[in-house]
Structures are given as structure tokens and as C-alpha cells.
Amino acid sequence: MREYLFIAENERIGSCYLEFQFCKSDVSIKNNSVDIDIIEHWQNDLLFISDEDFGDFYKSYSTVFNCALLANGETGFNWYGPNYYSKAVTEKVFQKLNKELDNEYKNLILWLEKAADKDNGFYILGI
């Protein structure tokens, strides 16, 4: 059994994962939607969660994550595309989850704390 649901690149087995990635660009929005051209996959500082584990997690925390800016300019959550959380939204996500999650999600909380403190928010990149 894994210690954490959210894992690093070197812990991945297979390929059906959602990718949590820091947004390092100062210009992450283009034409009121996510600028997908600036996203670079497989960065060293990202987190992964399997699609199955995220499904269960999302059922409990969908209200926290369904506020992303999507590639089509709408707000919500897309399992198959990029979901962008601005710095302000990232701070709210961190504050909410930091109060509610237990040690099983320690990696996610530490990662979200970094995302809230630096850069320009984060992405969840769909499967």
C-alpha cells in the first residue's frame, strides 16, 4: 500500500494520472482562457494522482476544485484538459484543504502551500 495518494514522478507506475503542476508563467491566460501553449509536461516539481484515486478524492472535494479556468474560457473542472487555478484561487484551495485533509494527503498540502506562496497558481492537467 502507498503511503500517499499524491506522488512524485519517480513513483509513477503506468500512465493514467492527473498531473498537478506549478504555473510559472506571468501570462497564463490568453483570450480569457488557459494558454495551453505554455504548459510543459513532466516537470520535476509536480505531483501525480491516479485517475481512480482522484475520482474518489474529487467526489469529496469537487466544490474546492470545480472553480478552475478551463481552456474554453469557462469555469469548472475538466478531467481531460488543463484546469488553471490563479494565485488567489490557489490560496483559497490551500486554506480549505489544509483545514480538512489528514496525513494521507501530506504531499498535496505541502505542494499546495508552495503553489500558494510562489509562482502564478497551478494547473491540474487531465488524463
Side-chain angles (χ1 to χ4, degrees), residues 28-30 37 40 43-44 53-54 58-59 63 86 88 90 93 95 104 109 116 120 123:
S28 51
I29 299 172
K30 180 176 164 183
D37 295 329
E40 294 182 36
Q43 302 295 311
N44 292 330
D53 289 338
F54 189 75
Y58 188 76
K59 285 178 191 174
T63 58
S86 68
T90 299
V93 168
Q95 292 299 325
E104 183 177 23
I109 294 302
N120 194 18
Y123 301 102

Side-chain angles (χ1 to χ4, degrees), residues 6-9 18-24 43-48 65 83-86 90-91 93-94 97-98 101 105-125:
F6 288 84
I7 60 172
E9 163 68 23
L18 284 90
E19 181 178 320
F20 282 56
Q21 183 181 114
F22 295 121
C23 175
K24 297 175 183 171
Q43 302 295 311
N44 292 330
D45 56 0
L46 48 81
L47 281 180
F48 291 97
F65 289 103
N83 300 275
Y84 171 65
Y85 300 84
S86 68
T90 299
E91 291 169 1
V93 168
F94 169 70
L97 294 179
N98 191 38
L101 296 179
Y105 301 101
K106 182 179 178 181
N107 285 359
L108 174 62
I109 294 302
L110 293 172
W111 190 90
L112 283 171
E113 185 174 30
K114 289 179 188 174
D117 287 343
K118 68 175 194 170
D119 298 325
N120 194 18
F122 75 100
Y123 301 102
I124 298 176
L125 305 175

Side-chain angles (χ1 to χ4, degrees), residues 10-40:
N10 63 348
E11 298 171 289
R12 251 184 348 108
I13 300 171
S15 62
C16 203
Y17 289 83
L18 284 90
E19 181 178 320
F20 282 56
Q21 183 181 114
F22 295 121
C23 175
K24 297 175 183 171
S25 173
D26 291 335
V27 187
S28 51
I29 299 172
K30 180 176 164 183
N31 299 324
N32 295 320
S33 65
V34 177
D35 185 358
I36 60 174
D37 295 329
I38 64 170
I39 297 172
E40 294 182 36

